[in-house]
Amino acid sequence: MRMFLDRGTTLLVLAGVWAFLLYYFKPSLLLLDTMDAGGDTPSFLRPMHHLKDVLLPAGNPQGWDLGNFAGYAPYQFYFLPPALSIVLLSYVIPFNVAFKLVSVSGVFLLPLCMLLSLRAMRFAFPVPAIGAAASLLFLFNEGNSMWGGNIPSTLAGEFAHSIGFSLSVLFIGYLYKGVEEQKGWRGLGALLALTGLCHPVAFLNAATGGIFFVFGRRTFVRNLRFLLLVYGTAVLLMGFWLVPLIAKLGFATSINWEWHFPSPWDLMPQILWPPAILALCDVIWITVFRRPENRPARYILVTMIATAMFFFNATEIGLPEIRFVPFAYVLMIFLALDFVRRVLPLHIGPHIAAVALSVSIIAWVQARTTFIPSWIKWNYEGLERKPSWPLLKAITGAVQGNIGDPRVAYENSPKHDRFGSMRVFENMALLSGRPTLEGVLLQTGVNSPFIYWLQSQISKQGTGVIPGYSYPNLDLNRATPRLAMYNANDIVVLTDEVTKALASDPRWERHFNQQGYSIFRLKDADRHYVRVPKFRPVRITTDRWKKDFHRWFSTDAVLDVPIVAEDTIPASEMARFPLQSKSPIELPREAVPSDCQITEKIDHMKMEFTTTCPGQPHIVSVAYFPNWKVEGASYVHLVSPAFMLVFPDGNHVTMTYRRIGSDWLGIVLSLVGVVVCLVGRRRVPLGEPEGALPRGLTAVHPVLIGAVTLGAIAITGWHVLRDFGPQIFYKRGWEAFQKQDYVTSLENFDRAMRLGGDTNQAADAAFFRAASLFRAERFQDAMEGYQIVIDKFPDSIWVAEANYHVGLCLRRLGQRERAIETFRWVIATYPGNRWAGFAQEQLDQMEKEAPAG
């Protein structure tokens, strides 16, 4: 009877939690056949339609899409399970409804996953039931909409992470049970693989729990074996995605944002204050009282500490550190529940306690919910229910075409939110049939840094979304040749500044004007994706092609001379590149015949063209990726900005997107993982390890674990210093610089530069370090300092100014001819830049100072 009441009450609480969620996520909205709106969410519609309509029929779900980023492989680096779930469900119900149901599934999964996880960690009733209700504290946290897992983050478009997040919470509970019982490693491996295939941060969150089980010397070997079986199985199952990802990671774009908090209190929203206080009390309790019954709580605490270490090391492995905070919140709630079961007599009337505490939690959440209901309505009523839907249809209808037509660019503006999302035009390929430049999966595109730099040139309000690069101001004159380079012949604009600039530019003509929106078309544009460049490509010596290619892209004077990284050219192809340079912006020029006639056929997985100029360089303005193979030419080269270059052997060339060695290796490993999971399944515990190796590992356990722990602490400490040190030293340097104390400023800027690595903070410090030397009239040292800025931080905002100051240093050192040469170079390289103007002023002064005759 007691078991029946326990289960019945648990189901009642879970049903109440889901009913509370459905009160907000109304079925009438979820079942409405409209395209989802809100944040990044609608931008996922295009890649998922593409998966259904093109990639799956082609038998390659990790294939190519020309719709965004000048071409990219959406699911080479992004996550297939949520997308496949939507596609499969769409064969039964409308696609838009399937999209909504799957995108919200992580929210509804979390209460169940927290309940099951607590049960697996041997928390007795009613703690798991209360845990289901406590999930609402996390889900309705309105303190952020970008960190992941909660409702605002899901509404903003991070639904794949929400699904993976819920699975990671489930995994840590069942990992505890599995290790303790030494059973179920295959199922745990499959669950971890599914978690990782939904999101890599969720994978790391889940995997951290295993750290707890390697500290006990007596159980070290058996637990390590179990963990290796679980993690090894997961890696095998993920092989089809993981191996190609690692092999091709160089053609992705890292976005390791660093989140800066004005105050530590920003990390703890008010809705989480009660569990935070209770969790702190529990940490004190389990630290003071080391009893066997505290083992699950210690497991949670160690997992939380490991999560914190991931937070401080995340940016070094290319992940946003803030994504690890939500998992710590859930672990904190678990600790809070552990303390509640200690101090409250839950064994007395547990069923009433479960219901009462759950109702109290729901009341607390309800009282602190503000904008979530309106955001849910905004999202799920869909794009078609917005008053501006007819305008959106008119705009996209005005540029209707197919995927082989020239691209459509658009001005970035928060005013686009009137359509349902300010990123709605990322769906251009879905709404109009024609490709565009930007997209939601910007980490998957090798062209992302160039496209978002260009976005700043064509927008009054650019995003500057990719860290590590400087971004220009609005300048349509400079943007036009770059748009032409990307075969973007139409541009949708809104603001007066951009509209007036295009209207006054004779290269553009307006062909649409409605409710403030205009569409301009580039006159006399070359509408081809395959072109013969004006000048022969130059091979450059570089060990960081992305940075040097970006430096080339941002320099107007060299845009017509394409560059190729020397170390990407096979020896058999080297003769095709007789021109060489060590600089991406100081390039020799050799003209190429310009009377070539080209016809082309462009599609997602295959491109063909005929040419009258065999043997000459042909640039295909589609993103480079190693899966593209060519017939009719010997090799596909990576050429600036991140396009493909071929030298046709004859008049006809065919390029096909195919699986390569890393793809096949990954598929084989996944098949091995499936076999491992299916063969020899037994629900019996693993036996104790025996032999010399287990005894040896047990003997060295204290030294091994001690060394690894100290190493992890040291690395984390260094990264903490790298994160916070540059800010501290830069601030001290700036204060000294303002006081004209150049000795002190030089010392602090130097420390900030060295600790900052390749960050913008380090670039700022390097510049003002050189400026301190210049102000101190140490001109030779200052010139070397400015050269460090130019060489180490070629994409920083300081490069033009640093070059100008090199000229000043040369002038102060009496090296007149070199100073003149430098000032002229600044003028030629940065036309229109204010430092080019100052350089001209210097030349004018030097001309007046020249002796007569």
Side-chain angles (χ1 to χ4, degrees), residues 123-190:
F123 284 94
F125 178 86
V127 174
I130 300 169
S135 68
L136 298 174
L137 296 170
F138 172 79
L139 288 171
F140 282 84
N141 161 30
E142 295 183 340
N144 66 82
S145 62
M146 291 183 66
W147 301 359
N150 60 345
I151 289 174
S153 295
T154 303
L155 294 173
E158 297 174 9
F159 56 87
H161 181 241
S162 295
I163 296 170
F165 183 87
S166 295
L167 295 177
S168 68
V169 172
L170 180 65
F171 178 84
I172 61 163
Y174 278 90
L175 180 66
Y176 181 88
K177 180 181 180 181
V179 174
E180 293 292 280
E181 297 177 355
Q182 291 289 297
K183 292 193 299 186
W185 59 268
R186 292 179 177 86
L188 283 167

Side-chain angles (χ1 to χ4, degrees), residues 383-399:
L383 301 179
E384 294 92 331
R385 295 295 180 95
K386 301 291 183 283
S388 54
W389 173 250
L391 175 60
L392 179 61
K393 291 291 289 181
I395 294 170
T396 55
V399 291

Side-chain angles (χ1 to χ4, degrees), residues 437 447-457 469-472 478-486 545-563 584-585 587 639-643 794-795 829-830:
L437 293 175
N447 272 282
S448 294
F450 312 103
I451 286 170
Y452 284 94
W453 192 92
L454 179 55
Q455 180 203 73
S456 294
Q457 277 196 326
Y469 297 93
S470 61
Y471 292 89
R478 296 182 64 207
T480 295
R482 292 173 174 85
L483 289 168
M485 178 187 299
Y486 274 92
W545 71 265
K546 288 183 179 179
K547 289 289 186 180
D548 280 342
F549 279 31
H550 193 275
R551 189 179 179 192
W552 169 90
F553 186 72
S554 61
T555 305
D556 297 347
V558 294
L559 282 179
D560 53 358
V561 185
I563 58 175
I585 57 175
L587 305 173
V639 68
S640 58
F643 291 160
D795 297 303
T829 307
Y830 304 102

